[in-house]
Amino acid sequence: MTIAAPHLGSPAGAWTDAQLLYALEEVVEKELNRHLQVAKDWMPHEYVPWSDGRNFPGLFEDGEAWEKEQSQVTEIGRIALIVNLLTEDNLPSYHHEIASLFGRDGAWGTWVHRWTAEEGRHGIVMRDYLLTSRAVDPDKLEQFRMSHMSEGFESDNRHSMLHSVAYVAFQELATRISHRNTGHQSGDPVCDRMLARIATDENLHMVFYRNLLKSAFQLAPDLTMQAVRDVVVNFRMPGHGIPGFERAAAQMAIGEVYNMRIHHDDVLQPVLRFLKIMEIDGLGPEGRKAQEELGLFMGGLDSEASKFDEKLAARKARMAARAAGA
């Protein structure tokens, strides 16, 4: 990468989004080519148990009303699947956000459209599976979708290209972990295989953004460190606007689909460790401050996660005792 500081004599942190987008174009092209070599195309319809499907009430006289007992999916699996699908449903808004920020031309534009196409498969296969296997109430699912998408979506990080890259580096991994754990907890091997396939895509997306973030540190270390600090400290999943999200998130935490311990150990730590975030030196005052605050936050989050672990273990012990006495 041969591009130098933004302007001779200007502060090291005086990068604009446009300059960073241009400076990182070579990296985006390299990572895009790597992604296209390793990513495998797959057919959503091959992961759906179509022979299990039957009509719902409506235009069809033989329609059968939905009931929980019609599916082997567990209650926590059902809750997590709804959250995960409704998050995927907001793809038009996500595309608008990143296309507006990263552009539609060159390697950036090619990546934006490729990413959108790959993400589109996730919503397709999840909805087809849920309806065919009768894992969720179809009427409520559609009502939730309409409510969620009608609210629109605005990223917390839309003000900054670096913040957006930092966010998706963590968020793609968080999504991968959420899908994978949902599959494990679903009680249905078909669902588990489907979500494992989706999780593989999400991991490749994470690698793209993680590697891009590493290159950003080489260009603008202070600004990138501040962006990572801000994103980690204020992290929210993109589906936080889903109706009833707080309650569903609490249930997913107890069900060990996604909680503080998982967030700390399986999402934040792997990316920060790859970036060797606490070993980066040569930072200016603001960069060092952000690095120190990031370290303090991670220590505090680890402590909070330990408290959650203790409460969860106590809850499991109580439930086991009740089951033994029943």
Side-chain angles (χ1 to χ4, degrees):
M1 196 177 303
T2 57
I3 191 164
H7 301 288
L8 288 175
S10 65
W15 288 90
T16 65
D17 277 1
Q19 289 167 334
L20 283 166
L21 286 166
Y22 176 74
L24 289 168
E25 180 91 20
E26 288 181 32
V27 182
V28 172
E29 184 173 5
K30 175 186 173 184
E31 290 301 318
L32 171 63
N33 290 333
R34 180 200 55 77
H35 178 83
L36 294 175
Q37 288 175 358
V38 298
K40 291 183 172 63
D41 276 339
W42 55 279
M43 303 298 124
H45 59 268
E46 294 179 356
Y47 288 81
V48 179
W50 298 106
S51 60
D52 292 346
R54 50 200 187 275
N55 294 333
F56 288 103
L59 294 176
F60 303 100
E61 293 183 3
D62 62 341
E64 183 180 349
W66 179 83
E67 294 181 9
K68 281 185 180 182
E69 295 72 22
Q70 295 166 348
S71 169
Q72 63 179 306
V73 170
T74 61
E75 183 62 18
I76 186 58
R78 180 178 296 108
I79 291 167
L81 280 162
I82 292 172
V83 169
N84 292 351
L85 175 56
L86 291 176
T87 300
E88 299 285 356
D89 276 335
N90 248 343
L91 182 60
S93 290
Y94 306 150
H95 174 82
H96 173 76
E97 290 271 340
I98 65 171
S100 300
L101 194 62
F102 298 153
R104 295 173 172 82
D105 301 318
W108 280 106
T110 302
W111 167 254
V112 165
H113 296 309
R114 173 72 189 198
W115 174 87
T116 303
E118 291 185 5
E119 288 287 343
R121 288 179 177 145
H122 303 167
I124 290 169
V125 71
M126 289 179 69
R127 175 165 279 100
D128 285 346
Y129 165 80
L130 290 175
L131 296 180
T132 303
S133 67
R134 292 186 168 240
V136 301
D137 183 335
D139 292 344
K140 286 187 177 179
L141 182 65
E142 178 60 11
Q143 290 162 8
F144 283 150
R145 187 191 71 84
M146 286 295 295
S147 175
H148 184 42
M149 293 191 70
S150 296
E151 289 294 319
F153 173 82
E154 285 190 343
S155 169
D156 295 334
N157 303 286
R158 63 189 180 281
H159 62 286
S160 161
M161 173 265 189
L162 276 179
H163 282 72
S164 295
V165 170
Y167 175 74
V168 288
F170 294 103
Q171 179 266 318
E172 292 284 3
L173 183 52
T175 304
R176 176 215 169 197
I177 296 297
S178 180
H179 282 310
R180 200 68 194 92
N181 287 345
T182 298
H184 292 331
Q185 301 286 356
S186 69
D188 182 5
V190 175
C191 179
D192 195 20
R193 287 194 296 270
M194 173 194 66
L195 291 177
R197 177 59 261 183
I198 293 175
T200 299
D201 282 0
E202 302 290 8
N203 196 62
L204 291 178
H205 297 165
M206 178 277 293
V207 170
F208 177 94
Y209 287 118
R210 183 198 64 185
N211 293 351
L212 192 57
L213 189 58
K214 183 176 182 180
S215 294
F217 266 110
Q218 297 170 7
L219 279 174
D222 287 279
L223 287 178
T224 307
M225 186 66 75
Q226 292 172 71
V228 170
R229 183 266 321 271
D230 293 345
V231 164
V232 169
V233 170
N234 300 298
F235 186 87
R236 296 196 297 175
M237 290 294 275
H240 59 80
I242 292 170
F245 177 80
E246 290 78 9
R247 184 169 185 269
Q251 291 169 307
M252 290 167 67
I254 294 171
E256 298 183 87
V257 172
Y258 200 94
N259 55 40
M260 276 192 289
R261 174 53 64 199
I262 292 168
H263 184 61
H264 177 277
D265 291 0
D266 299 339
V267 177
L268 298 182
Q269 283 284 33
V271 176
L272 296 177
R273 192 161 44 241
F274 173 85
L275 296 171
K276 298 180 179 178
I277 206 88
M278 302 310 295
E279 300 172 27
I280 295 174
D281 55 16
L283 297 167
E286 291 300 316
R288 287 195 301 272
K289 178 184 176 185
Q291 188 181 47
E292 291 168 3
E293 290 176 349
L294 186 57
L296 289 171
F297 176 82
M298 291 299 293
L301 181 62
D302 188 34
S303 297
E304 289 298 312
S306 294
K307 293 176 184 176
F308 174 83
D309 291 341
E310 292 172 4
K311 291 179 180 178
L312 186 59
R315 183 179 186 277
K316 287 181 178 179
R318 289 195 302 272
M319 292 180 67
R322 286 193 200 123

